[in-house]
């Protein structure tokens, strides 16, 4: 009876972990335009919990974001899905005028870039962003923001 009870507890535990992970990835990395629904296809990747840490979630999230950014360029598109935290960090790193509200004192070079910025106030309306982008000069765009991270995360210079 104890073994059977332990199996039931383990089953509940696994189901709870799967539900939480589905909520986590559906609400952060793989958000869609509805902002309410999670695609059940992600349950496929959560069947074997011992393999969850082997999936490349960052690259998958980036591909998902690129897909939604492509859709956002279409006329009459009012919003987009995808990993907006990653997109926001990319904007802060490349366009200093947006600034990200300043750098966090807790940031260390080994942390993800998005941990570098504090939340910023203002820019509630798209017209404010458009005006800011229209006024930017070439020297206000950072074309190589990760130059000082090469000793930590080396990558091939291809551009």
């Amino acid at each position: 009876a104890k073994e059977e009870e332990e199996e039931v507890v383990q089953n509940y535990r696994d189901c709870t972990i799967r539900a939480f992970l589905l909520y986590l990835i559906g609400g952060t990395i793989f958000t869609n335009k509805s902002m309410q629904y999670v695609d059940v296809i992600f349950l496929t990747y959560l069947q074997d919990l011992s393999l969850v840490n082997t999936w490349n979630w960052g690259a998958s999230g980036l591909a998902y974001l690129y897909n939604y950014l492509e859709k956002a360029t279409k006329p009459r598109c009012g919003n987009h899905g995808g990993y907006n935290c990653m997109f926001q960090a990319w904007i802060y790193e490349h366009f200093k005028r947006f600034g990200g509200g300043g750098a966090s004192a807790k940031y260390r070079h080994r942390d993800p870039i998005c941990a570098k910025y504090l939340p910023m106030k203002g820019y509630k309306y798209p017209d404010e962003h458009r005006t800011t982008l229209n006024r930017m000069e070439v020297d206000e765009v950072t074309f190589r923001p990760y130059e000082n991270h090469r000793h930590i995360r080396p990558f091939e210079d291809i551009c």
Side-chain angles (χ1 to χ4, degrees):
K2 276 199 169 202
E3 281 182 25
E4 194 172 300
E5 187 177 308
E6 285 178 23
E7 271 186 45
V8 170
V9 169
Q10 183 64 32
N11 187 37
Y12 280 132
R13 180 184 167 276
D14 289 350
C15 289
T16 304
I17 291 171
R18 280 187 196 92
F20 175 74
L21 288 174
L22 185 63
Y23 170 76
L24 181 69
I25 64 175
T28 56
I29 302 173
F30 301 109
T31 58
N32 57 25
K33 288 171 69 168
S34 76
M35 299 298 287
Q36 296 177 8
Y37 302 105
V38 178
D39 197 342
V40 293
I41 191 71
F42 299 118
L43 282 174
T44 306
Y45 304 107
L46 302 175
Q47 283 181 347
D48 188 352
L49 291 174
S50 66
L51 295 177
V52 169
N53 66 332
T54 65
W55 294 101
N56 192 340
W57 296 103
S60 301
L62 191 58
Y64 195 79
L65 173 64
Y66 284 159
N67 182 44
Y68 268 107
L69 288 175
E70 188 269 330
K71 291 177 182 178
T73 63
K74 305 296 183 210
R76 293 185 295 268
C77 180
N79 57 8
H80 69 88
Y83 193 19
N84 288 319
C85 181
M86 184 185 296
F87 186 46
Q88 190 173 7
W90 183 87
I91 290 169
Y92 289 163
E93 274 299 303
H94 289 80
F95 303 104
K96 294 300 180 192
R97 193 177 275 206
F98 287 103
S104 170
K106 296 178 183 178
Y107 176 74
R108 303 289 175 253
H109 283 293
R110 293 202 179 274
D111 294 338
I113 291 291
C114 60
K116 183 177 181 178
Y117 300 102
L118 299 171
M120 148 177 141
K121 297 187 189 235
Y123 292 112
K124 293 181 182 176
Y125 305 102
D127 290 340
E128 293 178 35
H129 288 297
R130 289 187 188 111
T131 302
T132 301
L133 286 169
N134 287 338
R135 292 182 180 161
M136 288 180 86
E137 300 291 331
V138 173
D139 61 340
E140 292 180 281
V141 178
T142 306
F143 291 101
R144 300 176 79 166
Y146 310 109
E147 193 68 32
N148 60 355
H149 277 80
R150 287 185 180 228
H151 65 285
I152 296 168
R153 301 264 190 244
F155 57 92
E156 196 173 321
D157 192 4
I158 60 171
C159 58

